[in-house]
Amino acid sequence: MPQAFRISGDRLSNHIGSTVRIVGRIMQIEDGKQAKIQMTEGVLVTVLGPSGQNYMKSYVEIVGKMEDATTIQEYKSIPIDDGFDLDTFNKMLKYCTGKYSNLFS
């Protein structure tokens, strides 16, 4: 699997065609083949298969290819405990990809 960049909702359009890691709250599962998750900044993303109905927690990390600014083709999903704080995670992402990125490379 290619290197996957962990990104926030406001950076999705910068990574179209790239393999990324996104984290969000599962909002809806449709036909067991796709899901809607809410990422940081309230951004909604459509996740296309393969897990669909197999999400076991309210939050999930998806590794996949960004098809467009609001759709990701899932390669792998990782469940995250229900007590997860998406706002705190977003703050951490800002540090990792912003002013202090040199500390995380």
Side-chain angles (χ1 to χ4, degrees), residues 11 92-104:
R11 295 181 178 233
M92 185 271 309
L93 272 180
K94 299 292 182 195
Y95 286 121
C96 292
T97 60
K99 182 177 179 182
Y100 300 104
S101 62
N102 63 317
L103 298 174
F104 298 94

Side-chain angles (χ1 to χ4, degrees), residues 16-54:
I16 295 170
S18 299
T19 301
V20 297
R21 291 177 173 267
I22 62 171
V23 173
R25 183 171 190 260
I26 299 166
M27 304 302 287
Q28 180 179 10
I29 298 173
E30 302 170 4
D31 300 327
K33 295 182 181 179
Q34 67 180 33
K36 300 268 187 206
I37 67 168
Q38 183 176 19
M39 293 183 60
T40 58
E41 288 93 20
V43 174
L44 285 175
V45 176
T46 300
V47 180
L48 303 176
S51 293
Q53 62 192 8
N54 295 325

Side-chain angles (χ1 to χ4, degrees), residues 4 7-8 18 29 43 53 64 67 78 84 91 100:
I7 59 172
S8 57
S18 299
I29 298 173
V43 174
Q53 62 192 8
E67 298 293 329
I78 301 148
F84 185 74
K91 289 176 186 173
Y100 300 104

